[in-house]
Structure formats: C-alpha cells, structure tokens
Amino acid sequence: MKILVTGGAGFIGSAVVRLAIARGHSIVNVDTLTYAACLENVASVGNAPGYAFEKADIRDRAAMDRILAAHDPDAVMHLAAESHVDRSIDGPSDFIETNVNGTFTLLEATRAFWQAKGRPADFRFHHISTDEVFGSLGPTGKFTEDTPYDPRSPYSASKAASDHLVRAWHETYGLPVVLTNCSNNYGPFHFPEKLIPVVILNALAGKPIPVYGKGENVRDWLYVEDHADALLTVLEKGPVGRSYNIGGENEARNIDIVRTICALLDEMQPAGAPHDRLITFVTDRPGHDLRYAIDPTRIRTELGWRPSVTLEEGLRRTVRWYLDNEAWWRPLQARQGVGQRLGVKA
Ligand SMILES: NC(=O)c1ccc[n+]([C@@H]2O[C@H](COP(=O)([O-])OP(=O)(O)OC[C@H]3O[C@@H](n4cnc5c(N)ncnc54)[C@H](O)[C@@H]3O)[C@@H](O)[C@H]2O)c1
C-alpha cells in the first residue's frame, strides 16, 4: 500500500514510517518540521526505495493538493499535530491552527483527491487521536469508544474538534475514514520535553526531576512501536467509519514511573547515590487530568490486536535507548522551550 503519513518526522509518526517500510509499504512522509520534528527519526529508512519526504504544512491547501496528485496514495494516516499539553496552555493558537484548521484543510484536499479518483471504496483516511478527548477519570472506570467527549485542555479540545471534523466528513461526504484514540506513548525518539525523557535525562545530568503535584496522575502507557503496529492493523483491517481505542493495559501513577526509571538507572548507570534523591515535587499543571485508562476490548476482539511489550520491559528498552543515543537527544535540548517549565500560567 502507498501511505501518505503526516507528521512522520515526529515521535509516533516516525515509528509508523519505520514499521510500514519494514512491512513493505511505500511511504510519503509529509511534515513541516516544527520544533518537535527530527528527520534523524527516519534516517534508517531515508534511502529505502518506496520512501519519499515532502516538507509541507498541512494548512497549505495548494501543497496538499500537489502532494496528493503527485504521489497518488492509497491511504492517508494523519498524525501531524501540536502535541504538548503544557505548550497548549501557554500558546493555544498554534493548536487550533494545526490541529483544527490543518485537519480541515487536509480533509478537504483528501476529499477532492478521492472524489477525482472516482471515490474508491478501499481508500482510507486514518485519523490518529488521543484518549485525552474523553476527559478525566476518577479512580475507577475506563474509556470505551462510546465514552462522551469531555476535553479539558486546549490540546485535547483541539484534538476533539479534529475528531468531530473527520466523522463529519465521513457522514456528510462519504470519505472512508477510520479513527483511533490512544493512551500515552513512550519509547525511543520521544522528544525531550515529555515526562519520560525528562526524567531519564535530568536523572543522568544529576538535575532535579520535576514531578507535577504529588505525582498521583495515572496514565495507561503504551510502547510506541506497539502503537505503530496497532495503527497499521486498524488501517488494514478496520471497517470504514469505525473508531478504536488503543491502550497499553499498563496503568501507572507518574510517581511510580519516575521511581521505576530511577531504579533502572541505578542498575544501568550507577551514579554513586540513588537517582530518586533528585525527585522534586513542583506546582501542578492547571486542569491536570487525574486518570486516563483505555478499555481495549474492541480492538482486541474485532481486530485481534493487543500490546506486546509490558511497561517494565518497555521502560527498560527506553532507558537503554537514551543511554545509547546521546547524539540524538543532546542537540534537541537546545531547542526553544525545552528544559523550561511551561504551562503554569492560568
Ligand atoms: N504522544 C502521545 O502520547 C500521543 C498519544 C495519543 C495520540 N497522539 C497523537 O499522535 C499524533 C503524533 O503525536 P506525537 O507525539 O508523535 O507528536 P510530535 O509532536 O512528536 O510530532 C508531531 C509532528 O507533526 C509535525 N507537524 C506539526 N504541525 C504540522 C503542520 N502544520 N504541518 C505538517 N506537519 C506538522 C511536526 O513537525 C512533528 O514532526 C498526534 O496527532 C497526537 O495528538 C499522541
């Protein structure tokens, strides 16, 4: 299959690109290369036959029209987005521009392309979204595909809006879409402003490890390569119009994730004193959702997919990867905003 992937120089998009190429698909990677992008993430497939890169912005209708016509894909996997909740608190407009207006522009370009081709039924527009659209859970319960939307941050509100647009383009114009809402990802190539890489890199540098509030927020962690596998499964097998929640079946409190990483570093890179001495509790994020948890029954029963990596194993692989790949993460720490506390204005 020839797949146009948006955001393929980011964290999850690059995992999709690498896996899809390994499975024999052709890829057109469309990315405007924001602060969060890194072409090194796809360097391993950069020279593969069947891989093409287009530096372009999804908000640019003329560019999207040109790229679709030039490459004639069988499917679009839409991952390009502004993705960092803390940045969305300080500067929501980029999130509305890319996640809402950009998705609208991409949908319109894709609809025109698909209609001009004679509306092929086997074409797919796969929209990749987050479980954060469902809001915050209390101590019990899980998100299903029927959980009402209740986004609570500018990021999750912009993603919720994009999900609604994608469903509307299916209902109104018949565009053959599938949607996925996934829990928190972690793993190799995770940009060093997100929790898990911040913990690893601050611990390695002997700097305070910031934990928001009391560290009691619970997330359902999914290893990024498992997410890429789930996304290709949904693309290949998911019926048109269907949405799937994707989770890792790995719920953990932030403080427990931080302590586990500290223990792994004590074992893999001993510092002479336990790394957890660096844990520092800081002011919580405004509107910080307490708990997210995915009920993965639909994807498991309908498509036979489940995660292959446990949290313990995934964190071990991730810590090893950061220890072995300083040349990747060191330059990214100089990018704008990285290493600073963001998202506390409210
Ligand atoms: N990271 C997570 O835990 C998680 C969980 C569930 C869903 N998601 C969703 O998955 C997708 C990818 O997330 P990620 O963590 O890889 O994000 P990321 O921030 O690492 O990567 C986003 C990529 O999109 C590109 N991009 C941004 N704006 C663009 C534009 N206007 N035009 C073209 N390209 C643009 C960036 O350059 C970057 O390469 C997002 O849609 C996100 O909402 C992420």
Side-chain angles (χ1 to χ4, degrees), residues 269-322:
Q269 189 93 338
H275 288 92
D276 65 4
R277 75 190 188 285
L278 300 167
I279 293 174
T280 309
F281 294 97
V282 300
T283 314
D284 208 351
R285 170 189 284 165
H288 202 177
D289 292 338
L290 177 66
R291 177 171 165 261
Y292 306 137
I294 290 278
D295 176 348
T297 304
R298 180 180 287 180
I299 191 165
R300 193 196 302 148
T301 55
E302 292 186 8
L303 305 184
W305 182 87
R306 65 186 317 158
S308 69
V309 179
T310 63
L311 184 56
E312 194 181 27
E313 172 60 21
L315 285 175
R316 180 172 287 278
R317 286 190 204 175
T318 304
V319 170
R320 184 75 260 157
W321 189 87
Y322 280 87

Side-chain angles (χ1 to χ4, degrees), residues 127 129-130 133 149 159-168 179 181:
H127 181 59
S129 191
T130 166
V133 299
Y149 275 40
K159 291 297 293 187
S162 67
D163 293 11
H164 293 323
L165 291 174
V166 172
R167 286 200 176 87
L179 291 90
N181 294 86

Side-chain angles (χ1 to χ4, degrees), residues 204 317-329:
L204 281 177
R317 286 190 204 175
T318 304
V319 170
R320 184 75 260 157
W321 189 87
Y322 280 87
L323 288 173
D324 292 343
N325 286 280
E326 182 172 349
W328 179 84
W329 52 260

Side-chain angles (χ1 to χ4, degrees), residues 51-301:
Y51 174 80
F53 176 69
E54 293 272 6
K55 182 176 177 339
D57 193 314
I58 57 165
R59 294 168 294 178
D60 181 344
R61 174 66 192 268
M64 294 304 109
D65 287 343
R66 178 190 65 73
I67 291 166
L68 285 159
H71 293 280
D72 192 20
D74 306 304
V76 172
M77 295 180 80
H78 176 36
L79 295 102
E82 291 292 338
S83 71
H84 190 37
V85 176
D86 287 344
R87 288 186 191 253
S88 86
I89 295 167
D90 291 343
S93 75
D94 284 349
F95 288 72
I96 305 304
E97 285 294 325
T98 285
N99 300 359
V100 185
N101 295 343
T103 299
F104 162 70
T105 302
L106 183 67
L107 277 169
E108 278 294 80
T110 306
R111 176 167 77 94
F113 166 76
W114 171 72
Q115 287 176 336
K117 271 171 78 86
R119 301 171 181 256
D122 57 355
F123 184 84
R124 288 290 180 277
F125 184 98
H126 180 173
H127 181 59
I128 284 79
S129 191
T130 166
D131 62 353
E132 301 191 28
V133 299
F134 299 122
S136 184
L137 290 166
T140 59
K142 294 193 175 197
F143 297 134
T144 72
E145 289 78 3
D146 298 323
T147 301
Y149 275 40
D150 184 23
R152 291 157 34 98
S153 73
Y155 165 66
S156 55
S158 69
K159 291 297 293 187
S162 67
D163 293 11
H164 293 323
L165 291 174
V166 172
R167 286 200 176 87
W169 260 241
H170 172 58
E171 297 296 339
T172 305
Y173 304 110
L175 188 69
V177 309
V178 284
L179 291 90
T180 48
N181 294 86
C182 185
S183 58
N184 281 46
N185 284 217
Y186 70 101
F189 300 104
H190 206 181
F191 194 74
E193 66 181 353
K194 303 278 175 89
L195 175 69
I196 287 178
V198 165
V199 173
I200 298 170
L201 300 183
N202 281 28
L204 281 177
K207 290 188 189 162
I209 300 169
V211 175
Y212 292 1
K214 294 182 179 154
E216 287 182 341
N217 306 72
V218 174
R219 302 292 182 256
D220 179 357
W221 292 95
L222 178 64
Y223 193 62
V224 67
E225 291 173 7
D226 273 343
H227 188 195
D229 178 51
L231 293 176
L232 289 175
T233 302
V234 171
L235 181 73
E236 287 161 10
K237 297 194 204 163
V240 168
R242 198 79 169 142
S243 76
Y244 292 90
N245 283 358
I246 306 171
E249 300 178 49
N250 276 315
E251 272 189 66
R253 295 187 308 164
N254 285 350
I255 187 65
D256 296 328
I257 293 281
V258 173
R259 290 197 192 286
T260 303
I261 291 170
C262 288
L264 284 166
L265 284 170
D266 290 346
E267 175 199 323
M268 295 158 91
Q269 189 93 338
H275 288 92
D276 65 4
R277 75 190 188 285
L278 300 167
I279 293 174
T280 309
F281 294 97
V282 300
T283 314
D284 208 351
R285 170 189 284 165
H288 202 177
D289 292 338
L290 177 66
R291 177 171 165 261
Y292 306 137
I294 290 278
D295 176 348
T297 304
R298 180 180 287 180
I299 191 165
R300 193 196 302 148
T301 55

